[in-house]
Amino acid sequence: MSIITLALSKGRIFDDSLPLLAAAGIEVLDDPEKSRKLILATNQPGVRVVLVRASDVPTYVEHGGADLGVAGLDVLLEHGAGWGDSGPGASGLSGLYVPVDLKIARCRMSVATRADFDYAAAVRQGSRIRVASKYTHIARQHFADKGVHVDLIKLYGSMELAPLTGLAEAIVDLVSTGSTLKANHLVEVERIMDISARLVVNQAALKLKREPMRRLIDAFAGAVV
Ligand code: ATP
Ligand code: MG
């Protein structure tokens, strides 16, 4: 029997995936917060879970380290910077198939600035703005669409600090409740897109393990609320 490997990241993706897995009849047998294991068994002998960094999920699935996985749209758009206008639709990039919006780990990608910054003036056509972000591809595309010249500064975390220290005038970051922005006296000045986690599938694995993969994908799709 062929084993199916599902890539998840610890934290909200894992936590929000558990109810979907349960609805698909899959129970993960280890708690990643208590164990150091990176490969987790499930109650189904044919399904195992591997724990990877959120941004590594598309890489694992693309290269067959996992047969499928759960990744945020933010991660997918940053990973597949060549998706262009089609977005991560049914036929994705390089053997990645993105068939289901799981509607979990929801948030939005937004532009934020200091409250005293005049964003409207800064983004008038033909102007220039300094933007810090972990999501440089999404940010670049967003400002290009607006016809705004952007100087992008790549960061890996603590983006709220950038406008406060003068590193940048604006940030592009994920927002859910807005409390982190508020705590740092930043305001959300523009919403770029809604974000949710998607099921990503390795197309070759789908061909090779057709029946069990189909069953699993259908079970996920049927569990979406
Ligand atoms: P890492 O912690 O490994 O650097 P990460 O910060 O992207 O990666 P998580 O914080 O676990 O990982 O977030 C995983 C996914 O959850 C994100 O890619 C995004 O799609 C989603 N998400 C939902 N709400 C938020 C939020 N408020 N902040 C960040 N990510 C969020
Ligand atoms: Mg994180």
Side-chain angles (χ1 to χ4, degrees):
M1 187 187 60
S2 56
I3 290 222
I4 292 178
T5 301
L6 170 67
L8 298 175
S9 54
K10 266 165 82 161
R12 69 192 107 219
I13 296 278
F14 185 87
D15 298 344
D16 286 6
S17 293
L18 286 185
L20 295 178
L21 287 168
I26 298 165
E27 196 190 318
V28 183
L29 299 179
D30 294 285
D31 178 352
E33 300 306 328
K34 291 191 185 126
S35 149
R36 285 164 185 262
K37 282 189 202 169
L38 296 176
I39 301 180
L40 311 179
T42 75
N43 64 330
Q44 310 248 345
V47 181
R48 64 177 186 172
V49 169
V50 291
L51 294 176
V52 304
R53 281 291 286 268
S55 46
D56 289 337
V57 168
T59 307
Y60 267 81
V61 175
E62 187 175 348
H63 296 285
D67 299 304
L68 71 179
V70 177
L73 179 60
D74 51 319
V75 164
L76 292 172
L77 290 174
E78 284 297 309
H79 178 85
W83 257 322
D85 294 334
S86 61
S91 83
L93 183 81
S94 56
L96 274 186
Y97 170 59
V98 187
V100 187
D101 180 354
L102 297 171
K103 302 193 171 148
I104 57 170
R106 294 176 92 144
C107 53
R108 53 195 187 268
M109 188 67 75
S110 292
V111 183
T113 67
R114 281 168 52 148
D116 59 6
F117 181 73
D118 189 350
Y119 182 66
V123 296
R124 261 178 221 128
Q125 290 270 326
S127 58
R128 198 158 197 101
I129 187 169
R130 209 146 30 98
V131 176
S133 188
K134 176 177 169 182
Y135 308 97
T136 47
H137 290 119
I138 293 171
R140 188 177 303 286
Q141 187 65 52
H142 175 67
F143 287 102
D145 291 347
K146 293 166 74 75
V148 173
H149 298 284
V150 64
D151 294 314
L152 275 168
I153 300 172
K154 170 82 182 182
L155 290 177
Y156 294 89
S158 301
M159 274 169 272
E160 299 79 17
L161 210 53
L164 304 177
T165 54
L167 180 69
E169 292 148 341
I171 58 172
V172 167
D173 198 5
L174 294 173
V175 180
S176 45
T177 62
S179 55
T180 306
L181 291 179
K182 207 170 171 192
N184 291 291
H185 310 289
L186 299 180
V187 287
E188 185 177 3
V189 290
E190 192 175 14
R191 184 189 276 240
I192 299 177
M193 65 177 82
D194 290 324
I195 299 286
S196 57
R198 313 296 164 107
L199 192 63
V200 278
V201 176
N202 177 293
Q203 269 168 338
L206 185 56
K207 289 200 186 101
L208 289 168
K209 309 177 190 177
R210 180 137 212 116
E211 284 314 308
M213 290 284 287
R214 266 282 148 227
R215 267 202 304 278
L216 194 50
I217 294 165
D218 290 347
F220 264 114
V224 173
V225 284

